[in-house]
Amino acid sequence: MIGFGSSSVKPIVLSGIQPTGTLHIGNYFGAVKNYVALQDQYECFYSIVDYHAITVEHDPQELRKNTLAMAIDLLACGLDPKKCTLFVQSQVPEHTELAWILSAVTSYGDLQRMTQFKEKGELQEFVSCGLFTYPVLQAADILIYKASKVPVGEDQLQHIELARRIARRFNSRFGEMFPEPEALLTEAPRIMSPADPTRKMSKSLGPKHYIALTEPEESIREKIKTAVTDIGPRPEGEKSPGVANLFLLLKLTAPREIYEQFEADYAKGMLKYEPLKRTVAEYLVKTLEPIRARRAQLKEPEVKEILYEGAKRARAVARKTLEEARERIGVGRLIA
RNA sequence: AGGCCCGUAGCUCAAGUGGUAGAGCAGCCGACUCCAAAUCGGCAGGUUGGGGGUUCGAGUCCUCCCGGGCCUGCCA
């Protein structure tokens, strides 16, 4: 058992994961694989952020299903409840209370400048206030564990910066209590959509555009086989996005010699894409096999129990931070 | 609180004064291709936001409801 709170010597990591349902290989190679690695060096809190998911239109049953599906996939990928704390955000209500407190030290102008709000807002018919204040809840997610590191992609840097500003302002007004979190930028491979390799792999683009971790073998082979390769002319000596994507997958899944052999063939201009695709599919299937096996063994009640225990552990920490914050700003207790 | 506009296929939009709900893109299948792309051939796609009404007949007119946008007023 690991120690929590002040006795811990490992730096604290927080990452929030949107409950988008099952994971795809872009999620896995881009982020989740890294989460697994971080478990050993850091004290990790991994939160499935269902309260973030409700800021845009959603189906309640779908959300519940996706939240559990996400937990199952994360565990299958190798998140180990003995090493990290995996929990569902809404099961630790302290997050939302802290978010309200933090909203009071958040600049309206700062929120207006969030590019992700502008982008997501344009896609929505109805733009909720929650979508606007989303980054404040995100700041609370991080600060409530006094996390010092947050593994994120570049698109999230602006949000981390906001969390830092919020922490700084709170600290200067009410006394030092939140460490300023830092982004933990690890080089994450960007897996592109097989059907449109100029765009990042994503479920929202449609079924042709992603490969789920749980995808049946034949379907994986089919999607790799029909993956876009060369479209039109391209600069000399430069792989087209689709081909580069296949090579990336090969690098991530196949033994080095195999990968280098294909690179050499390509350099000599002797590469046929069909064998490349066959090989990529084969090693991808092989790589996903252990995940699939672990997933098959996970039973729902067991996963729910893990989440419940995770929430309990997270809450113990969150409650302390929240109490401290309430104390500082002068609410709750009426007699000094 | 009052007024105005809007809701049609997954998406963007069409359907003079009421008269068989269509197109483009996306999607699916096939041909071509080492695999793809492009191209070609084919297929599918809808309780027209919901209920009620007028009519021989309603996407279209009336009415109520739901949802979205805009203007004005009121309150601090």
Side-chain angles (χ1 to χ4, degrees):
Chain A
M1 203 59 201
I2 28 165
F4 287 92
S6 57
S7 64
S8 172
V9 287
K10 292 179 186 171
I12 297 167
V13 159
L14 176 286
S15 188
I17 302 146
Q18 284 261 12
T20 51
T22 57
L23 291 166
H24 58 65
I25 61 173
N27 302 134
Y28 178 68
F29 292 114
V32 179
K33 202 175 161 189
N34 188 233
Y35 291 165
V36 176
L38 291 174
Q39 295 181 112
D40 296 315
Q41 312 161 47
Y42 297 96
E43 183 165 322
C44 296
F45 291 86
Y46 293 128
S47 177
I48 301 174
V49 290
D50 52 352
Y51 265 145
H52 284 281
I54 66 163
T55 58
V56 293
E57 268 192 59
H58 76 287
D59 175 65
Q61 287 179 356
E62 204 54 18
L63 176 57
R64 218 182 281 283
K65 214 181 75 197
N66 287 346
T67 302
L68 191 61
M70 179 58 73
I72 292 172
D73 274 8
L74 288 170
L75 291 167
C77 286
L79 287 195
D80 182 349
K82 292 194 194 67
K83 294 180 183 173
C84 71
T85 304
L86 176 67
F87 65 99
V88 176
Q89 181 188 34
S90 63
Q91 290 181 355
V92 183
E94 284 78 4
H95 286 236
T96 48
E97 188 173 340
L98 183 63
W100 179 255
I101 293 173
L102 295 181
S103 73
V105 292
T106 303
S107 150
Y108 182 80
D110 281 352
L111 285 181
Q112 274 184 316
R113 265 173 247 120
M114 291 290 134
T115 55
Q116 206 174 332
F117 169 71
K118 294 180 194 162
E119 287 165 14
K120 272 179 124 172
E122 277 171 17
L123 298 176
Q124 296 299 122
E125 189 176 55
F126 172 82
V127 179
S128 74
C129 198
L131 185 64
F132 185 64
T133 57
Y134 181 116
V136 182
L137 180 56
Q138 202 177 349
D141 294 337
I142 299 165
L143 298 179
I144 204 156
Y145 301 106
K146 301 189 176 183
S148 56
K149 304 282 182 189
V150 186
V152 290
E154 278 189 39
D155 57 322
Q156 288 293 313
L157 284 178
Q158 198 185 20
H159 288 180
I160 303 301
E161 190 50 44
L162 180 73
R164 294 168 65 87
R165 289 173 67 84
I166 291 172
R168 208 174 304 146
R169 192 171 291 115
F170 187 98
N171 289 345
S172 72
R173 274 201 206 164
F174 305 111
E176 209 61 36
M177 78 167 272
F178 293 116
E180 284 184 33
E182 279 173 30
L184 193 62
L185 274 173
T186 43
E187 70 166 280
R190 261 167 71 90
I191 311 290
M192 310 306 277
S193 154
D196 181 357
T198 61
R199 309 180 68 172
K200 206 169 113 183
M201 180 172 284
S202 157
K203 280 176 102 173
S204 59
L205 295 174
K208 288 201 317 185
H209 295 273
Y210 69 94
I211 295 171
L213 288 181
T214 54
E215 193 120 353
E217 207 178 304
E218 322 82 73
S219 177
I220 295 177
R221 293 184 196 282
E222 179 67 16
K223 283 180 182 177
I224 295 293
K225 181 175 175 290
T226 59
V228 168
T229 53
D230 295 335
I231 311 173
R234 65 204 139 81
E236 188 62 34
E238 200 176 297
K239 293 190 188 93
S240 63
V243 175
N245 199 36
L246 290 169
F247 268 97
L248 176 59
L249 284 174
L250 193 63
K251 190 176 193 176
L252 290 168
T253 57
R256 183 188 259 232
E257 316 84 67
I258 305 276
Y259 171 75
E260 283 171 354
Q261 183 57 52
F262 276 98
E263 277 284 15
D265 286 351
Y266 183 85
K268 283 184 285 184
M270 287 172 53
L271 181 67
K272 290 263 187 275
Y273 293 138
E274 197 276 328
L276 170 67
K277 286 177 167 181
R278 249 199 349 253
T279 310
V280 168
E282 187 183 323
Y283 282 105
L284 183 56
V285 166
K286 198 182 264 183
T287 303
L288 298 182
E289 186 43 45
I291 296 174
R292 189 193 309 271
R294 260 195 303 268
R295 194 179 193 285
Q297 292 198 324
L298 286 165
K299 300 280 177 278
E300 269 192 26
E302 180 195 349
V303 173
K304 286 179 182 168
E305 182 61 24
I306 288 168
L307 291 175
Y308 176 75
E309 285 303 317
K312 230 165 84 178
R313 264 160 36 190
R315 261 195 113 161
V317 180
R319 201 178 298 124
K320 270 180 152 178
T321 309
L322 181 61
E323 266 319 305
E324 196 182 345
R326 284 161 60 109
E327 192 69 26
R328 301 267 179 139
I329 61 169
V331 304
R333 216 158 41 84
L334 291 184
I335 301 166

